[in-house]
Amino acid sequence: MRLPRWAGTLAAKSAAFIAGMCCALAALLGVLVHVSVTDQTVAQARDQALARLAEATAAYQAGDALPRDARLDPWGLPASLRALALAGDRGTMVADDGGRPVMWAAGPADRHRTLAVAVDYSQQARTIDGLDRSILWSSALAIGATLLVGAFAVTRVTRRLHGTAQVARRISAGDLDARVHDPLTKDPTRPQDEVAAVAAALDGMAASLQSKLLSEQRFTADVAHELRTPLTGLHAAAELLPPGRPTELVRDRVAALRTLTEDLLEISRLDSGRERLETDAEALGTLAERVVRASGTETEVKVVRDVWVETDRRRLERVLGNLVANAHRHGRGPVVLTVEGKEVTVRDHGDGYPDYLVAHGPQRFRTEGGGKGHGLGLTIAVGQAEVLGARLRFANADGGGAVATLTLP
């Protein structure tokens, strides 16, 4: 049986623990008080009944009239107590006599007869019942008050934990300026609890992560900017070389280096989070066909259901172009681009995406199997998709091949 979602929260577990401990403590104290009072009450009633039995025995032996509460072989005497008295011993027992509780005291009168005394036990029984009810009510009130106080204390802790978790989710989503700022961490003279320690550690981790990422972004942007000037001169010099195979190789490498530099600049702009959309209405099927024609590849376009979308045409073309180029570069044909409503799928029939990419997404400068490329094409596609507010997922088809699915907002 699966427990509900709220049963796994710290507040529910704490409430269950507090309630369980309160119930156990109340039951233990209640049993101890009940047993102690009952033993004392029964002992007093037993002493009173034995005293009256002694008086009745003395009167019976002297031939005097028996007291009013003493009888010979009474009808309501319990069988076990009657057998004890016939055996020559005295004993007491609490039992009902005519619908009311009494304390019986019985002893031998002669060889075949029993002398018994019945002392009213109603008052003592009501006292014990009242005590039991008082224990139950007081235990319920104590448990309720303890639960309220415990819930208040636990709620304060869980509220701080929820705030810390929310900040952690914001950091994971890319908001590196998010901080917990727990009140206990602001004053070092105040004792800090575990929640404050976790909050301080999270704030420190976020600050360190932000500093490292900003340094990496600045480094990437600076390198890309610094490379543009010498690359422009190198490209101009390559154009002046005489025709020939060496010249073609130089121009090819210069072009690859320029493409890499432009990709790095685009990634640095995406990392800065300052990209702005320029939206316009576009027919998704027509845009996909235009992307395939511009790629110059043999890619089949299937338009199952065409729709008009409000999007940034340039960024969407960049995403689809990178997906198509990656499918041809790292996969095998046929490559199929399918438009079905606001969902665009690019599938090849190669070996599929590596496991790390399906699980965690593309990583910069990482490719599998010695393939060509720098791992920037899919990274740029994911970044541009985020700017568009779209969702880009990577998976492997059951029949083989990689599948990239872009879902527009």
Side-chain angles (χ1 to χ4, degrees):
M1 182 177 63
R2 297 184 62 182
L3 294 176
R5 184 182 297 273
W6 57 264
T9 61
L10 180 61
K13 293 179 180 178
S14 300
F17 176 76
I18 294 173
M21 293 300 296
C22 289
C23 290
L25 183 60
L28 178 61
L29 293 178
V31 169
L32 291 177
V33 172
H34 173 82
V35 170
S36 177
V37 173
T38 301
D39 288 347
Q40 183 178 2
T41 303
V42 171
Q44 292 176 353
R46 181 184 294 112
D47 293 340
Q48 183 181 3
L50 289 175
R52 292 188 180 182
L53 178 62
E55 295 175 1
T57 301
Y60 179 76
Q61 292 176 349
D64 297 335
L66 294 176
R68 186 178 56 182
D69 53 357
R71 287 170 287 174
L72 289 172
D73 293 329
W75 177 83
L77 184 65
S80 58
L81 188 58
R82 185 187 302 275
L84 182 67
L86 291 176
D89 296 323
R90 291 185 177 185
T92 58
M93 179 180 290
V94 177
D96 287 339
D97 182 27
R100 64 186 181 95
V102 296
M103 172 66 76
W104 287 99
D110 49 37
R111 292 184 59 184
H112 303 291
R113 304 186 71 185
T114 300
L115 181 61
V117 174
V119 178
D120 187 18
Y121 195 72
S122 301
Q123 182 62 36
Q124 291 86 339
R126 287 193 296 270
T127 300
I128 294 175
D129 290 340
L131 176 65
D132 291 342
R133 287 193 296 271
S134 299
I135 291 174
L136 289 176
W137 281 108
S138 60
S139 298
L141 291 176
I143 292 172
T146 305
L147 278 176
L148 290 177
V149 175
F152 174 74
V154 172
T155 302
R156 293 187 61 185
V157 175
T158 55
R159 187 183 301 115
R160 293 165 61 196
L161 288 174
H162 283 307
T164 303
Q166 184 177 4
V167 171
R169 286 191 289 268
R170 289 171 57 190
I171 294 173
S172 300
D175 184 6
L176 299 181
D177 293 324
R179 298 292 186 272
V180 180
H181 295 306
D182 192 280
L184 293 182
T185 61
K186 298 180 180 180
D187 188 0
T189 60
R190 298 175 61 183
Q192 296 187 7
D193 56 10
E194 288 77 3
V195 180
V198 172
L202 181 61
D203 287 347
M205 181 197 69
S208 176
L209 181 62
Q210 184 180 33
S211 176
K212 292 180 180 179
L213 288 179
L214 290 177
S215 298
E216 179 184 347
Q217 292 172 8
R218 284 194 297 267
F219 175 77
T220 303
D222 292 344
V223 168
H225 278 290
E226 292 298 327
L227 284 176
R228 296 185 74 179
T229 300
L231 279 175
T232 301
L234 187 59
H235 177 72
E239 294 296 329
L240 299 177
L241 292 176
R245 180 59 179 168
T247 300
E248 293 178 0
L249 292 176
V250 171
R251 291 176 179 175
D252 179 69
R253 292 300 88 196
V254 170
L257 191 55
R258 290 188 66 181
T259 301
L260 175 60
T261 303
E262 295 299 328
D263 287 346
L264 289 175
L265 283 173
E266 186 170 358
I267 287 177
S268 66
R269 290 194 298 268
L270 292 173
D271 288 341
S272 66
R274 299 175 182 175
E275 295 288 87
R276 295 294 180 265
L277 291 177
E278 297 179 1
T279 60
D280 197 2
E282 296 286 342
L284 196 54
T286 304
L287 187 144
E289 293 173 351
R290 186 167 61 246
V291 168
V292 170
R293 287 195 303 269
S295 68
T297 59
E298 295 183 1
T299 303
E300 181 184 357
V301 179
K302 292 183 178 180
V303 181
V304 178
R305 181 169 58 89
D306 198 2
V307 294
W308 285 77
V309 293
E310 288 285 339
T311 187
D312 190 319
R313 176 183 58 81
R314 181 183 64 84
R315 298 184 188 279
L316 183 55
E317 288 179 348
R318 178 67 160 155
V319 174
L320 296 181
N322 283 13
L323 294 178
V324 171
N326 184 81
H328 283 280
R329 181 178 301 165
H330 300 286
R332 290 190 298 270
V335 177
V336 181
L337 189 152
T338 305
V339 177
E340 186 172 358
K342 293 185 177 182
E343 188 172 274
V344 182
T345 303
V346 178
R347 177 185 177 180
D348 61 54
H349 291 77
D351 297 329
Y353 291 120
D355 294 337
Y356 81 88
L357 193 148
V358 175
H360 306 290
Q363 299 181 15
R364 304 173 188 179
F365 301 105
R366 179 174 179 179
T367 56
E368 292 290 321
K372 296 181 179 180
H374 304 281
L376 299 181
L378 293 183
T379 303
I380 292 174
V382 171
Q384 294 290 10
E386 291 178 354
V387 175
L388 292 172
R391 182 184 179 189
L392 183 56
R393 304 187 305 275
F394 301 96
N396 290 322
D398 294 335
V403 180
T405 303
L406 178 69
T407 304
L408 294 172

